[in-house]
Amino acid sequence: MKFYFIFLFFLLNCQVSWYHTRINPNQSGEIPIAEGGTLLGETGTSCFFSILKFQESGSSNELTQSNLPLIDTQFIENIRTNLKLKNTNTRHIKQIQGIPKSWPYTKELESFRTNKSFERFQQIEKMTIDPKDKKTLLKYAEIIDADTFLYPGDHPNLFDDIENCDTYYNLYYVRREKDNYNLVLFLISLGIIPTVNYENHYFIVFKRKAIERIPTLTTYKFGYRRVLTWLLLPTFNFFNEVENYNKDYRFIDHSKDQFLAALENKNSQPLPIKRLNPVYGDVLGGTYTSDSNLFTTQIPVDTRFAVIRDGKQNVSFFDPIHGLFKIQAINVNQKIQSDIITDGIEKTLKTFITTNLVEKIKKTYPKSGIIHETYSPDYRDGSYTFTLEIAKPDVEKEQLKKEYFVFSCFKSQSQIFILSRSIPNDTNIENLPKLAESNILDFYSQVNFQSRYIEPKPIDLDVTSTNQIKKDGNEEDDDDDLEEEGEEELAGGGGGGGGAYGEIDLGGLFSILKERTYIPRGKMDIKPGRFKFNNARFNAPKFNTGSRFHVKPGRTKNFSSPSKWRK
């Protein structure tokens, strides 16, 4: 019996595979990508276009996070980030096409072509119009900015001249090819005649300078070839370059990363596989869906260098360039519900944030606080947005170093949603309020919220004393698990909870602040090598158990840790 297993193992390893990448500059013939030269990096301002199809809210083919185009807005932002590091000026031009000429609110859309702010939502709420049209205006008020252009019908955008643009780039995903050769003969001959399967993905870049009328066309091809025959000796993966792709990480996702690397002229060899494997939620392409189905978001960072950490109702994304992005949904308890009835939503949100977020941060960083805040009653039925300045010790200069984060929260049914993201530290303090509003609205436009009603949890008057007893009784266990907890805080905290009634998760924020801070001895102490990502935990494969609870090998040791059960 063991012989059959050994024989089957040999058969499954009798294959040879390799990647096949080519570039076709201006239809002159395919050559290796490494010989294709640099396509970007022209002098002046480079303008990149992303195309959005206008869809009224509630339509059957409405554009959502689940059906975004492959070349999406985040792909363009990743290109711009790379060029910015090379001191190249860029602009992201969004084109919204297909607006019906009969749609009566085109002028209102045109009025949004300014820097984003919450004032535009106040204008919409004052309008007495059909609720469906109002919802459409609210959706595009989050998207449209000063670099957005609106076109009725299908507009030929390749030949438009835009002010302050020296070079124009339009990027498209064209088609996919996938097939097998000799599969029938392979089966008939019992594997003696080899079979070849392949897959190709094609991308096109239209490039045009401002003084030219005809663009140049460059085609990129990313594919692989796999030869399988039982006549070969076992290769044991020595000649098997192609990874085994699956539904969690598709070859099209890898091709998209390869395309981005080729545009950045990093094409000497194929990129390694980079999977973003959340513990609770799911990632498909560039979209993350929470385990609780309370929100879906476009991943707002470069997935090639990003770290993700999630709980059942929260998620954090981080990369070294874009910084920290975090979404969390908090179930409201009976006290919050009663406070809303007696004090109103504005005061309740401010009190909730002050008690559960600001005061906790001040315990670690005493000279931190809110430097700008605004309440918008017309946005999402009342949203509270504020800029948090965190002053932390700077070891080199022996003074306080300030970092800025923008937060925004609102209540919908039985959840309070909180969005937060970091702001560049070199931002002018005078421009900080406007930049914070614009940045958080950009983040809002990438998230779809799906709140639901939950019966409020009664207030437990004994919870404080009970928690204190447990804390005293398990103090020694906390010390034993300090090292492991410190590692797990890094990319966003949250653990399995994130949905506790009235509690805000601060794991991601504290982890980023700890990266460049030294605080002597204690739970926040940094030890050599502490700030490292445990890739095994992020990249561990899922087992399809047939249920919504996914088991991953890298997480099983948590169940033996007493501190994890106490959370």
Side-chain angles (χ1 to χ4, degrees):
M1 188 65 181
K2 292 182 180 180
F3 171 77
Y4 292 105
F5 284 110
I6 297 174
F7 182 69
L8 181 62
F9 175 76
F10 282 171
L11 292 182
L12 293 177
N13 282 278
C14 294
Q15 58 179 324
V16 178
S17 65
W18 65 94
Y19 287 102
H20 179 75
T21 58
R22 291 292 184 271
I23 184 174
N24 188 346
N26 209 22
Q27 304 301 310
S28 59
E30 292 185 354
I31 59 175
I33 287 183
E35 301 175 8
T38 303
L39 192 63
L40 309 182
E42 299 287 346
T43 58
T45 302
S46 299
C47 294
F48 295 87
F49 291 79
S50 60
I51 300 174
L52 301 175
K53 186 72 174 178
F54 179 82
Q55 298 292 346
E56 295 187 53
S57 181
S59 62
S60 58
N61 56 348
E62 181 180 2
L63 186 68
T64 61
Q65 298 295 333
S66 60
N67 59 358
L68 285 170
L70 190 66
I71 305 300
D72 52 20
T73 56
Q74 187 59 43
F75 187 89
I76 302 297
E77 290 301 318
N78 293 338
I79 295 177
R80 295 182 64 209
T81 299
N82 178 266
L83 292 177
K84 184 178 179 180
L85 297 175
K86 299 177 181 179
N87 297 319
T88 301
N89 295 326
T90 63
R91 291 174 64 188
H92 183 181
I93 307 298
K94 293 190 286 288
Q95 294 183 322
I96 300 178
Q97 301 181 359
I99 302 175
K101 294 182 179 179
S102 60
W103 201 65
Y105 304 106
T106 306
K107 291 183 178 179
E108 283 72 15
L109 292 179
E110 288 284 352
S111 68
F112 299 153
R113 294 186 60 242
T114 59
N115 294 329
K116 294 181 182 181
S117 69
F118 289 104
E119 294 179 0
R120 57 179 64 181
F121 301 100
Q122 184 178 1
Q123 301 173 7
I124 297 174
E125 289 299 330
K126 291 180 180 179
M127 300 171 63
T128 306
I129 60 176
D130 183 85
K132 181 180 177 181
D133 292 330
K134 180 178 287 189
K135 193 173 181 180
T136 302
L137 283 174
L138 290 171
K139 178 177 73 172
Y140 283 100
E142 294 179 342
I143 298 174
I144 298 174
D145 58 13
D147 282 337
T148 303
F149 293 84
L150 310 173
Y151 300 104
D154 295 327
H155 187 81
N157 56 76
L158 296 179
F159 308 102
D160 278 357
D161 286 326
I162 297 176
E163 188 178 359
N164 297 326
C165 283
D166 298 300
T167 310
Y168 302 85
Y169 295 94
N170 293 77
L171 289 70
Y172 301 94
Y173 172 69
V174 183
R175 70 183 186 275
R176 170 200 183 196
E177 295 176 344
K178 187 175 183 179
D179 203 352
N180 292 278
Y181 289 123
N182 293 335
L183 181 59
V184 176
L185 293 177
F186 173 78
L187 297 175
I188 293 176
S189 65
L190 300 179
I192 297 177
I193 299 178
T195 179
V196 180
N197 64 75
Y198 73 94
E199 185 173 348
N200 295 323
H201 293 277
Y202 292 86
F203 300 84
I204 287 182
V205 178
F206 288 93
K207 175 183 177 182
R208 179 177 71 87
K209 293 187 177 181
I211 59 176
E212 300 174 348
R213 302 309 304 168
I214 300 177
T216 59
L217 184 149
T218 304
T219 304
Y220 289 83
K221 179 172 73 172
F222 300 93
Y224 67 80
R225 308 289 184 264
R226 182 178 281 118
V227 179
L228 177 64
T229 176
W230 296 342
L231 192 60
L232 293 175
L233 293 175
T235 57
F236 298 107
N237 286 328
F238 287 115
F239 305 100
N240 190 20
E241 297 180 3
V242 180
E243 297 283 341
N244 293 319
Y245 299 96
N246 52 43
K247 64 178 182 179
D248 291 328
Y249 190 81
R250 306 165 299 178
F251 181 62
I252 179 60
D253 301 324
H254 186 59
S255 298
K256 182 179 175 181
D257 292 341
Q258 290 284 88
F259 179 46
L260 182 56
L263 292 175
E264 296 173 349
N265 203 28
K266 299 174 182 176
N267 44 48
S268 58
Q269 59 184 0
L271 285 175
I273 298 296
K274 171 61 176 168
R275 293 181 176 90
L276 286 182
N277 273 349
V279 178
Y280 292 92
D282 289 303
V283 170
L284 180 61
T287 302
Y288 171 86
T289 303
S290 68
D291 179 72
S292 59
N293 288 321
L294 288 172
F295 58 85
T296 302
T297 181
Q298 183 182 2
I299 297 176
V301 293
D302 193 335
T303 57
R304 297 173 300 165
F305 314 109
V307 176
I308 184 174
R309 184 68 184 276
D310 70 335
K312 293 184 177 180
Q313 294 186 195
N314 64 68
V315 64
S316 297
F317 305 97
F318 174 80
D319 75 18
I321 304 296
H322 299 93
L324 175 69
F325 291 77
K326 185 159 189 171
I327 309 169
Q328 52 185 317
I330 301 169
N331 297 330
V332 299
N333 55 26
Q334 197 170 30
K335 182 181 184 304
I336 296 177
Q337 294 282 24
S338 61
D339 288 345
I340 293 174
I341 296 174
T342 56
D343 300 331
I345 184 66
E346 178 179 2
K347 184 178 180 180
T348 302
L349 287 178
K350 290 183 177 180
T351 303
F352 176 74
I353 290 296
T354 301
T355 304
N356 294 278
L357 192 149
V358 179
E359 291 182 357
K360 289 183 179 180
I361 291 177
K362 282 187 174 183
K363 290 180 180 179
T364 307
Y365 306 100
K367 295 186 179 182
S368 304
I370 295 174
I371 59 174
H372 176 263
E373 62 181 353
T374 179
Y375 178 75
S376 305
D378 303 306
Y379 184 62
R380 298 186 181 274
D381 297 325
S383 63
Y384 175 50
T385 304
F386 60 95
T387 304
L388 185 66
E389 179 186 75
I390 299 180
K392 63 178 189 177
D394 192 331
V395 179
E396 296 179 357
K397 299 181 180 180
E398 297 183 356
Q399 62 184 12
L400 294 178
K401 181 179 180 180
K402 296 180 179 179
E403 296 196 12
Y404 302 97
F405 298 85
V406 56
F407 291 77
S408 186
C409 63
F410 68 95
K411 180 183 177 296
S412 179
Q413 295 196 70
S414 295
Q415 286 80 38
I416 293 178
F417 292 94
I418 302 178
L419 271 66
S420 57
R421 61 175 294 182
S422 52
I423 300 177
N425 296 334
D426 56 355
T427 304
N428 189 333
I429 194 66
E430 296 179 357
N431 300 329
L432 192 59
K434 293 183 179 179
L435 180 64
E437 281 193 28
S438 177
N439 283 357
I440 201 66
L441 284 174
D442 280 339
F443 195 10
Y444 267 116
S445 66
Q446 301 179 63
V447 187
N448 288 336
F449 301 96
Q450 300 169 347
S451 60
R452 61 174 178 264
Y453 176 77
I454 300 176
E455 191 69 27
K457 186 177 180 180
I459 304 174
D460 188 357
L461 299 179
D462 297 330
V463 68
T464 303
S465 59
T466 303
N467 286 343
Q468 184 63 36
I469 293 173
K470 290 182 178 180
K471 180 178 178 181
D472 296 338
N474 296 313
E475 184 175 354
E476 293 183 1
D477 292 338
D478 286 340
D479 295 336
D480 294 338
D481 297 323
L482 173 60
E483 185 69 26
E484 182 180 349
E485 290 176 359
E487 292 176 358
E488 296 202 359
E489 282 178 352
L490 180 56
Y501 284 81
E503 294 183 5
I504 298 179
D505 172 49
L506 299 177
L509 179 61
F510 277 137
S511 299
I512 300 305
L513 293 172
K514 285 166 57 180
E515 177 187 2
R516 296 177 297 274
T517 306
Y518 175 75
I519 300 176
R521 307 303 298 173
K523 271 194 174 285
M524 302 292 289
D525 183 27
I526 303 295
K527 297 179 180 177
R530 173 72 63 88
F531 196 77
K532 290 183 179 179
F533 302 119
N534 189 338
N535 292 326
R537 295 182 181 179
F538 299 132
N539 299 336
K542 291 182 179 179
F543 291 98
N544 187 3
T545 58
S547 66
R548 293 188 56 198
F549 179 76
H550 298 294
V551 180
K552 293 189 176 183
R555 308 298 302 175
T556 53
K557 69 174 183 177
N558 289 351
F559 298 114
S560 63
S561 176
S563 67
K564 302 300 181 297
W565 289 101
R566 293 196 299 273
K567 288 185 178 179

